[in-house]
Amino acid sequence: MSRDGVKGREAAGDAPKVTITDIAREAGVSVPTVSRVVNGRSDVSPATRARVEDLLRRHGYQRRSAPGDRAALLDLVFNDLDSPWSVEIIRGVEDVAHAAGVGTVVSAIHDRAGSARQWMTNLRARATDGVILVTSALEPLMHEELRRLGVPLVVVDPAGAFALDAPTVGATNWAGGMAATEHLLGLGHTRIGFVAGPARLLCSRARLDGYRAALDGAGVPVDDTLIVQGDFYPESGFAGCNDLLALERPPTALFASSDQMALGAIEALRRRGLRVPEDMSVVGFDDLPEVRWSAPPLTTVRQPLSDMGKLAARTVLGLAQGIEPASARVELATELVVRSSTGPRG
Amino acid sequence: MSRDGVKGREAAGDAPKVTITDIAREAGVSVPTVSRVVNGRSDVSPATRARVEDLLRRHGYQRRSAPGDRAALLDLVFNDLDSPWSVEIIRGVEDVAHAAGVGTVVSAIHDRAGSARQWMTNLRARATDGVILVTSALEPLMHEELRRLGVPLVVVDPAGAFALDAPTVGATNWAGGMAATEHLLGLGHTRIGFVAGPARLLCSRARLDGYRAALDGAGVPVDDTLIVQGDFYPESGFAGCNDLLALERPPTALFASSDQMALGAIEALRRRGLRVPEDMSVVGFDDLPEVRWSAPPLTTVRQPLSDMGKLAARTVLGLAQGIEPASARVELATELVVRSSTGPRG
């Protein structure tokens, strides 16, 4: 490619079409070496760098980004990426960020201090514009560090007992727990089992309190033997359902405070040859895409996970521009979705 | 906080603990304004910038990143984030990237040209170190543009018919299709329905060919009326199963070339009061985490999605350092996982 040719196109206002392959050939170096020079890496010898820089300049090579012209990034941090739950939130955040020209950096810190420190190191290096934490037990020291760095922070569905000086986006867990229980009461059930989520999470507590409130409202005494402990994963729904079935007077309906526990409970019933909903009604919580196709399709409480992600992204991008959210704590509405796993008391 | 106090800590080798809140208070400006100065944004008045920069310098404020000290980023691009499938790949990529200090930017381009262009614009601005495309129909022009920019590219499970000048990471779809069909043949089934994935995807074709090869190997004639078209989503498995059940001689077993279609098929059977596996055996493909808890737990072909993500990340990070992969096309092994949805022919 002749320099005149390049100049001609530059004069016409077009971007010069010289590639780094052209540059590498002319400089007598490899393509990755040119790439390292372009990207400002240090692992190139000074002589090679000078030769490549000279050719880039002479050909008017258009760099992907000029120094100081850093693109916007947003960090979305999970404890784990082991649930279909997480992809719903990623989808919502990505949707808003993508449209704003902002990249969504997804990380998992696995509740490990070493991993969280590594993430914090990476975060400092990439100079993110904002952080969205999802139900994370990120250590208080990390919060302190984020605040010191002046990085805007929004928390989705804050779960722990720690007080955060950051806006939060959640769902109406209490109202959802109440709606699920009222649905079962309305079908004539009075012995309703409850499989709770981890006690350390506020959302678990809110769902349990909603369950109790609905029973109280209907004048049905709360029987603590019908409340079993789970951890949101299917195995604990399976075990919890078995425990309830072993009672002298088992419940006729079961409210699991996560869809995954509801699926575990349905499997426990199936193994005993019990039918859903004929022998036991089951309600979940979350409305993961997959439970529309569980056998039977699951009645559940829809958490607007994707919308929560969208709102968190809008809030943190606003904070990065100095716009404080109208409310520091927002709860989006949950909604009961009735499918085929619940029916009248037999 | 006194300047002497800060200096004292600096002398002791500690990072100065002045926060941008302190700086903002002293400068008489808002925290976001200080943050904008720290991040090198242009939307701050020169006078304010000078005052803030002066205070930052005097207090020895530790910036998150020095100019030119750009952190590494990797772009992971999906068509859509609407399947539990995607989170498995994100998990694998993030695991490798995180450990390497590299941020994983997740995007969805929704098969829309406008969205792909927006992504390309964002990509240029953030100067990513590498791109991993997942079964994407990203236009040939976009590939060309990536090549021109010298951005290393790796494709996970290339699906379309386009020829890409990039390393690819896939799974042994043909062998998986064959293993699933052989499993059903081994249980005595000879009329085995097949719900195919989208015809335009190579992985669909490979699974179908594996199904045919297993039948041929067992001397069972391929009956084309037993092959129905799906699109990988549950609805198409539901419809496909209904079509097969409407045949004069329905199959006794069904192989769906995605887990989601298998779940749709099981729902079609459930609605007719048919039992799995007593009345029909069902095999899926993918081994999504959720099918361990479907009713019944699904026999399926495991695709090592997370491992494919890990390998793609290692390959693209290698390319960014000029290391060519040993092989341009790698297929990781699939594996038949036998659970409760398959049984002997009745």
Side-chain angles (χ1 to χ4, degrees), chain B residues 20-269:
Chain B
I20 68 163
T21 308
D22 301 329
I23 301 284
R25 195 178 305 117
E26 195 167 339
V29 300
S30 72
V31 170
T33 298
V34 176
S35 181
R36 282 197 287 274
V37 173
V38 167
N39 289 326
R41 294 284 182 78
S42 56
D43 47 350
V44 182
S45 77
T48 301
R49 178 185 302 280
R51 189 160 74 252
V52 171
E53 286 279 9
D54 181 52
L55 285 167
L56 290 169
R57 212 166 21 244
R58 274 163 48 200
H59 285 304
Y61 178 81
Q62 191 184 346
R63 284 174 192 248
R64 281 180 279 152
S65 74
D69 182 24
R70 192 176 59 72
L73 291 176
L74 189 157
D75 265 71
L76 174 58
V77 187
F78 295 86
N79 267 338
D80 289 296
L81 290 166
D82 65 351
S83 158
W85 206 85
S86 41
V87 77
E88 293 295 299
I89 292 181
I90 294 173
R91 191 158 52 137
V93 170
E94 195 277 337
D95 202 48
V96 167
H98 192 122
V102 174
T104 303
V105 180
V106 176
S107 303
I109 58 168
H110 308 293
D111 257 336
R112 291 194 301 259
S115 183
R117 271 195 303 274
Q118 170 77 60
W119 170 74
M120 188 61 84
T121 303
N122 298 353
L123 181 87
R124 292 164 74 112
R126 67 180 158 255
T128 195
D129 292 85
V131 172
I132 298 174
L133 284 185
V134 183
T135 49
S136 174
L138 202 70
E139 300 160 63
L141 273 175
M142 296 284 171
H143 298 149
E144 200 43 57
E145 176 77 358
L146 285 176
R147 194 194 333 227
R148 201 185 71 76
L149 293 170
V151 179
L153 172 66
V154 172
V155 177
V156 173
D157 198 14
F162 50 80
L164 262 183
D165 183 20
T168 60
V169 177
T172 57
N173 289 297
W174 182 84
M178 191 154 161
T181 311
E182 284 178 338
H183 168 65
L184 293 170
L185 288 164
L187 289 166
H189 299 281
T190 51
R191 287 189 68 72
I192 301 171
F194 182 79
V195 188
R200 68 188 163 83
L201 301 185
L202 288 178
C203 59
S204 301
R205 177 57 195 260
R207 291 170 201 176
L208 173 59
D209 286 350
Y211 159 83
R212 288 181 195 273
L215 292 175
D216 284 348
V220 174
V222 174
D223 178 351
D224 282 338
T225 63
L226 293 182
I227 300 173
V228 296
Q229 188 61 52
D231 62 5
F232 283 159
Y233 290 93
E235 290 78 0
S236 69
F238 182 83
C241 182
N242 278 331
D243 289 348
L244 291 170
L245 290 170
L247 292 175
E248 202 168 326
R249 285 181 58 216
T252 61
L254 185 156
F255 172 28
S257 60
S258 80
D259 280 353
Q260 296 204 295
M261 294 197 298
L263 295 179
I266 288 173
E267 174 61 9
L269 293 162

Side-chain angles (χ1 to χ4, degrees), chain A residues 36 41 62 64 71 81 91 94 98 101 104-108 115 122 124-125 128-129 149-150 234 267 290 293 297, chain B residues 20 41 62 64 71 81 91 94 98 101 104-108 115 122 124-125 128-129 234 267 290 293 297 321:
Chain A
R36 282 197 287 275
R41 294 284 181 79
Q62 191 184 346
R64 282 181 276 153
L81 290 166
R91 192 160 51 141
E94 196 277 338
H98 192 122
T104 303
V105 180
V106 176
S107 304
S115 184
N122 298 353
R124 294 164 73 112
T128 195
D129 293 85
L149 292 170
E267 175 62 8
E290 67 208 56
W293 294 95
Chain B
I20 68 163
R41 294 284 182 78
Q62 191 184 346
R64 281 180 279 152
L81 290 166
R91 191 158 52 137
E94 195 277 337
H98 192 122
T104 303
V105 180
V106 176
S107 303
S115 183
N122 298 353
R124 292 164 74 112
T128 195
D129 292 85
E267 174 61 9
E290 67 209 56
W293 293 96
Q321 301 182 312

Side-chain angles (χ1 to χ4, degrees), chain A residues 89-212:
Chain A
I89 292 181
I90 293 172
R91 192 160 51 141
V93 170
E94 196 277 338
D95 202 48
V96 167
H98 192 122
V102 174
T104 303
V105 180
V106 176
S107 304
I109 58 167
H110 308 293
D111 257 337
R112 291 194 302 259
S115 184
R117 272 195 303 273
Q118 170 76 61
W119 169 74
M120 187 61 82
T121 303
N122 298 353
L123 180 89
R124 294 164 73 112
R126 67 179 158 255
T128 195
D129 293 85
V131 172
I132 299 174
L133 284 186
V134 183
T135 48
S136 175
L138 202 70
E139 301 159 62
L141 273 175
M142 298 283 171
H143 297 149
E144 199 43 56
E145 176 76 358
L146 285 176
R147 195 199 326 231
R148 201 185 72 76
L149 292 170
V151 180
L153 172 67
V154 171
V155 177
V156 173
D157 197 14
F162 51 79
L164 264 183
D165 182 20
T168 61
V169 177
T172 56
N173 289 297
W174 183 84
M178 191 152 160
T181 311
E182 283 177 338
H183 168 65
L184 293 171
L185 289 164
L187 289 167
H189 299 280
T190 50
R191 286 190 68 73
I192 301 171
F194 182 80
V195 188
R200 67 187 165 83
L201 302 185
L202 287 179
C203 59
S204 301
R205 177 57 196 258
R207 292 170 200 175
L208 173 59
D209 285 350
Y211 160 83
R212 289 181 194 274

Side-chain angles (χ1 to χ4, degrees), chain B residues 222-343:
Chain B
V222 174
D223 178 351
D224 282 338
T225 63
L226 293 182
I227 300 173
V228 296
Q229 188 61 52
D231 62 5
F232 283 159
Y233 290 93
E235 290 78 0
S236 69
F238 182 83
C241 182
N242 278 331
D243 289 348
L244 291 170
L245 290 170
L247 292 175
E248 202 168 326
R249 285 181 58 216
T252 61
L254 185 156
F255 172 28
S257 60
S258 80
D259 280 353
Q260 296 204 295
M261 294 197 298
L263 295 179
I266 288 173
E267 174 61 9
L269 293 162
R270 195 194 64 83
R271 291 227 197 146
R272 290 167 183 249
L274 296 173
R275 294 158 305 160
V276 177
E278 292 82 353
D279 299 313
M280 174 98 77
S281 284
V282 177
V283 183
F285 202 108
D286 283 332
D287 195 25
L288 299 177
E290 67 209 56
V291 303
R292 277 180 295 157
W293 293 96
S294 59
L298 192 69
T299 296
T300 188
V301 178
R302 185 173 135 69
Q303 273 211 84
L305 296 166
S306 159
D307 288 343
M308 287 157 66
K310 285 183 186 182
L311 180 59
R314 278 193 291 264
T315 305
V316 81
L317 293 176
L319 284 170
Q321 301 182 312
I323 304 163
E324 290 292 327
S327 168
R329 167 74 189 158
V330 178
E331 289 197 348
L332 298 185
T334 51
E335 183 191 2
L336 181 73
V337 182
V338 178
R339 297 200 182 96
S340 311
S341 66
T342 48

